[in-house]
Amino acid sequence: MIVLKFGGTSVGSAARLGEAATIVAAQPQPRLVVVSAAGGVTNLLLEAARAAAHHETARVAELVAAIRDRHAGVGTAVADEDERVLANSQLDELHTALDAALADVAAAGTLSNRDSDRIVATGEKALSVLMAATLRANGAPAVHLFADSVIATDDRFGAARPDRVRTRAQAEAVVRPLLDAGQTVVLTGFIGGAPDAATTTLGRGGSDYSATLIGAAVDAVEVQIWTDVPGVLSADPRQVDDARVVPQISYDEAQELAHFGAKVLHPRTIRPAVARGIPVRILSTFAPDEAGTLVTREAAGDQVKAVTALRGLILLTIDVPELEDLAAAAAQVFRVLHEDGIEVVSVAQASSRRRMTYLIDAVSGGCPRLQERLAAELRELDVDVTCTEDVAVVAAVGQGAAAQPAALAQFLAVLSRSAIPVLAASQQTSNVALVAAVPAALAERAVALLHETFIRPQFASARGRRPRRSDLLAESMRVG
Ligand code: ADP
Ligand code: ASP
Ligand code: MG
């Protein structure tokens, strides 16, 4: 049993959907396909939901028309008249339900996370219909399934957490019989079902997570993430133009990369695969014959494999006057972060043992609100709270490499030589990533320099030298 997940670009047009269906048909049965919404449609749906809440009727109509058009365009991939008619009527039902959901939001005059999830799910649902129809039109028995009856979650709408036990039971009951009957099952990514059966979502980019969740639930032998890049690269190719495919990485490395901003994998993707030792492969629908990246338990070598950046963070520094109050202060800070639902990216205790630094997701109200709240909650401990916005973390990921003091020294030296202020640094306890907080505006430069330092030297031994970002190199040498 293989799971194949296709991202937004890979199902974003009739041509791409056709290519994806060809890739599916080339895999042996049994197989389970997970689809995202067509690229851009999730954003259109969210915009329509917000416009409905603000009673912007004309804008809602315009957005809904754009969504219908997009689906109609992608639907031309269905190369069989009967299948196309059937798919169009199923799409009509989804679009009618969308209109009703938007009308409910307009009537309420506010957009709840529950309504938002119900609305955005339309994108994945439409693509599951279209993928199944395309496969059938090409001669492969296929059915679509909406994941609200398969992936069981809690009711944290917008960022639901899966219930693996219920998901496994539902997969056995709903998915397994279809697979046993020789069907290719096409499941919507991104969405799940709350205990009251309402539609939930797993968070933006969550279809990767859906793929490993369902893969673990049906004991898949492999999960393939088909996307628009030829694997996990040594850096985001949009930022570093000579980034290269990393042929093999460990679960830990993939997890750290995703955690620190490599968008190619949703941050939670790896965990379900680790639990059952399922290999995950990242492959390109634009180059389906290339080997891509294989993610398994073992690391290949102890060098830095990739560098990444995560933006949109806040750096909180708490100075505690009395060492004996440290634990109490930490407990209070975590309580506040937990109560406000703020994600913590990393925590460190800095050189002075009374200083704690927290890298957290940006929050509404930003530093002023957070500082006020923490100062009030921690008043008795007389702590000093400093808060910096527009922070990014840059990370150099490589199992083993991060454990070497020389690598940490080199990592910090590169940044300081280039006048990139390191706001906080830590060697992750996992020894998989070297991490520094830097001003967000300098993150791209930091990534480029770290790529030059840690990755470029590996190219020479791999296969000749590659074109270099000479501008950046020259700049770094000038500063150095
Ligand atoms: P999909 O729609 O298929 O899920 P995404 O846009 O979510 O695709 O993820 C793929 C994108 O991730 C790539 O186009 C690339 O710009 C970005 N990316 C960021 N870091 C990396 C990296 N280290 N390796 C590969 N891609 C990366
Ligand atoms: N369509 C969803 C999003 O845009 C989920 C995904 O693509 O993985 O966030
Ligand atoms: Mg994605």
Side-chain angles (χ1 to χ4, degrees), residues 229 231-246 257 262 264 305-309 447-448 450-451 455 459:
V229 280
V232 172
L233 304 189
S234 50
D236 185 347
R238 286 171 213 216
Q239 287 174 31
V240 176
D241 55 17
D242 63 348
R244 286 193 177 184
V245 174
V246 187
L257 275 172
V264 64
K305 314 275 184 354
V307 295
T308 181
V447 164
L450 291 171
H451 195 265
I455 309 287
F459 288 1

Side-chain angles (χ1 to χ4, degrees), residues 5 205 208 263-266:
K5 176 261 171 179
D208 301 327
K263 192 187 166 219
V264 64
L265 288 175
H266 181 274

Side-chain angles (χ1 to χ4, degrees), residues 161 164 209 212-213 216 251 255 266-278 280:
R161 298 283 170 92
R164 300 221 192 133
Y209 190 23
T212 51
L213 282 170
Y251 290 135
Q255 205 150 305
H266 181 274
R268 297 196 206 279
T269 308
I270 294 300
R271 193 98 70 81
V274 177
R276 295 187 175 266
I278 302 170
V280 177

Side-chain angles (χ1 to χ4, degrees), residues 5 7-8 36-37 42-43 124 189-190 203-208:
K5 176 261 171 179
S36 292
T42 305
N43 287 345
E124 270 70 16
F190 186 42
R204 293 305 303 270
S207 297
D208 301 327

Side-chain angles (χ1 to χ4, degrees), residues 110-188:
T110 171
L111 180 63
S112 65
N113 288 340
R114 177 186 278 264
D115 283 333
S116 177
D117 279 0
R118 176 175 158 214
I119 288 165
V120 288
T122 311
E124 270 70 16
K125 289 184 173 178
L127 257 297
S128 72
V129 163
L130 291 174
M131 173 64 97
T134 306
L135 289 170
R136 285 194 304 270
N138 297 355
V143 285
H144 69 266
L145 271 184
F146 296 159
D148 27 22
S149 59
V150 179
I151 305 282
T153 70
D154 63 11
D155 61 0
R156 272 181 265 194
F157 295 97
R161 298 283 170 92
D163 177 331
R164 300 221 192 133
V165 175
R166 273 201 301 136
T167 300
R168 202 171 166 82
Q170 294 189 158
E172 276 304 316
V174 183
V175 180
R176 180 77 63 192
L178 294 167
L179 294 170
D180 288 347
Q183 297 280 344
T184 295
V185 174
V186 183
L187 187 71
T188 52

